[in-house]
Amino acid sequence: MIMSCFKDETRIYWVAGLISIVLSIGLALSETVVNTDAICYLLSAQEIGHSGISQAMQVCGQAKWPFYPILIYSLAKFTHLSYIAAAYSLNALFTLMTVLVFIRIVKALGGKQRELLLAALVILFWHNFNGVREYIIRDHGFWAFYLLSVLCLLQFFNHPKWRYALAFSASLGMATLFRIEGGVFFILLPFLALFKPHASIKQRLYYFFMLNLPVLLSLLAGAGWLLTHAQQTVENLGRVNEIVTHLQHGISIITDKYQQTKLALAQHVLGPESKNDINLVFFLVIMGWYLISVISNLSPVYALLTAYAVAKKYRQAFSNSGLVIIGYVFINFLVTFSFLIERLFLSKRYLIAFSLILLLGVPFALSMLIANWSTVKHKVAVSALGLFMLASAIGGVFNFGYSKAYIHHAGIWLADNTPKQARVYSNDIQVMYYSRHFGNEIFDKFNAYNNLEKIAHEQWKQYDYLALRFNKQNEKTIANIAAELNKHPIQVFKNARGDRVEIYANN
């Protein structure tokens, strides 16, 4: 019955697109406090209007790769939207693009009407994807153009034409403008042409050249620019030097970090009896950490469905489409696993690009289960999966946690009720942002203010106002400082759990 409503595949795209826009708008309107990365992008976008791009790149670490702030500034200027509204509008557009391209890739992989509808449900119901919709981050643009590159490369491998090769390079070039990691895909993916099935060596080399031509032209253009701008060096080119450094020293960096971590594990965790097993222990720890992170990002149920799809489709693994998917999986693993070893940290959103590739198998897995609907076992399985997807979607769209509105209210109160020249201290960067007291110095100030020792032992006397954010982690430390103040707060903003911001006046 549901399928009859979508006899025309175009309706699936329209309905999925409309739902995506509604979700983005709803989540943006419900967001009370911008994420911490957003502060960097919004302030650097403002700085572009005041002092230009070069100065904006110095505002914060993420602004060194300035394309996203430039887009925010440009949209705000030409539409007269606020910077926050411009950022949310861009994110809604990029997320819409991600949803539609995801569905189109499923079609390129052989999906029919049912698989396309299931693809729309999978991407729209994915908890972790909806969980970052309201974040003002450049990842939204990266995911959109990264997925577009997947579609273009699939089309190129099925029909090796220049328009698909150029579209592939253009989409990955755009993705790289959002996140520097896109450069790794830009460099490595063309090598897949050397393994293209049913092609001669001569054809494979020609296809490799087709995919690499834009890269070669970019390198030549960059070399020419550097020759004519002798005063410029790689260090002045935003984060380009990161790619150069990792290409030159990536293996040694990872090896050194591995040795340091292994030594720390042997000294502080394992006893001397385990010395001979340290390599095995470290490998199991890091692989376990990585696998759990990937499964958690997908969700255990989507991970099982992905494994089911792979098991059923294994015969097609080395077809043209399978080779492209394997290539993206391998490079994603290379990038994210190397990052984990090097930093011993892996945020969930860093794995979303990887998860988007793995999720492509889920609509096919669901379709195979539905095809056997007549059996009781499959009816139970499909019904349970449907309930899980619905519950997951509700959890990603509706925030059942404690409100952070108190942070916003505290910052706005400081902005409206304290003199511009007042010396304000806060241990929370979001309160600092909304207070409008710190400008572009907010990041340097926060690095110092984040350490509560900054105001201990009567050092609080140098400030006119103190906005202290209490939470479970710092409750005791700040309570001691508040007792030292020997004052009652002039304002208290809190949520239902008791997290709060207390504002003190020092006069």
Side-chain angles (χ1 to χ4, degrees), residues 156 159-169 206-214 217:
F156 176 82
H159 306 285
K161 297 180 180 179
W162 275 105
R163 66 173 181 267
Y164 295 135
L166 294 174
F168 163 75
S169 295
Y206 181 61
Y207 299 151
F208 180 69
F209 170 75
M210 291 173 71
L211 293 174
N212 266 305
L213 182 60
L217 292 175

Side-chain angles (χ1 to χ4, degrees), residues 49-281:
H50 296 149
S51 308
I53 296 175
S54 296
Q55 282 298 111
M57 290 173 67
Q58 310 305 316
V59 169
C60 52
Q62 296 96 317
K64 291 179 181 178
W65 207 236
F67 186 64
Y68 185 51
I70 290 172
L71 288 181
I72 296 173
Y73 166 75
S74 301
L75 184 60
K77 180 179 180 181
F78 289 110
T79 62
H80 302 290
L81 291 169
S82 68
Y83 288 107
I84 291 179
Y88 280 134
S89 299
L90 284 171
N91 289 353
L93 176 63
F94 293 138
T95 303
L96 169 65
M97 182 176 167
T98 299
V99 168
L100 297 181
V101 174
F102 181 87
I103 299 170
R104 182 63 183 83
I105 292 173
V106 170
K107 180 176 176 63
L109 291 173
K112 305 301 181 185
Q113 183 184 5
R114 181 165 62 195
E115 286 81 16
L116 298 192
L117 180 57
L118 289 169
L121 294 175
V122 166
I123 190 68
L124 290 171
F125 283 13
W126 184 23
H127 177 90
N128 282 332
F129 188 61
N130 287 329
V132 297
R133 275 181 183 264
E134 73 271 24
Y135 288 1
I136 297 176
I137 47 176
R138 54 204 162 104
D139 302 63
H140 294 292
F142 173 75
W143 296 326
F145 287 100
Y146 155 87
L147 269 191
L148 185 59
S149 78
V150 178
L151 177 60
C152 294
L153 194 57
L154 285 169
Q155 291 172 325
F156 176 82
F157 266 67
N158 289 320
H159 306 285
K161 297 180 180 179
W162 275 105
R163 66 173 181 267
Y164 295 135
L166 294 174
F168 163 75
S169 295
S171 55
L172 263 187
M174 287 295 295
T176 305
L177 289 174
F178 286 96
R179 288 199 68 89
I180 193 68
E181 295 91 325
V184 179
F185 291 89
F186 211 162
I187 293 168
L188 296 182
L189 281 170
F191 285 93
L192 291 177
L194 300 177
F195 303 93
K196 190 179 186 303
H198 313 299
S200 66
I201 294 177
K202 184 178 178 180
Q203 287 175 319
R204 292 178 182 183
L205 290 173
Y206 181 61
Y207 299 151
F208 180 69
F209 170 75
M210 291 173 71
L211 293 174
N212 266 305
L213 182 60
V215 179
L216 295 173
L217 292 175
S218 299
L219 291 174
L220 288 172
W225 187 87
L226 285 174
L227 288 173
T228 56
H229 296 74
Q231 74 278 14
Q232 297 288 341
T233 62
V234 172
E235 285 75 14
N236 300 123
L237 300 178
R239 298 180 62 197
V240 172
N241 61 307
E242 292 183 22
I243 288 185
V244 176
T245 300
H246 277 80
L247 287 175
Q248 292 176 334
H249 311 293
I251 294 177
S252 62
I253 292 172
I254 292 171
T255 302
D256 290 344
K257 189 64 178 181
Y258 165 75
Q259 294 296 340
Q260 293 172 15
T261 307
K262 188 177 71 171
L263 182 61
L265 188 65
Q267 291 179 341
H268 304 294
V269 179
L270 302 176
E273 298 85 359
S274 306
K275 183 179 179 180
N276 294 332
D277 299 321
I278 186 62
N279 288 310
L280 176 62
V281 171

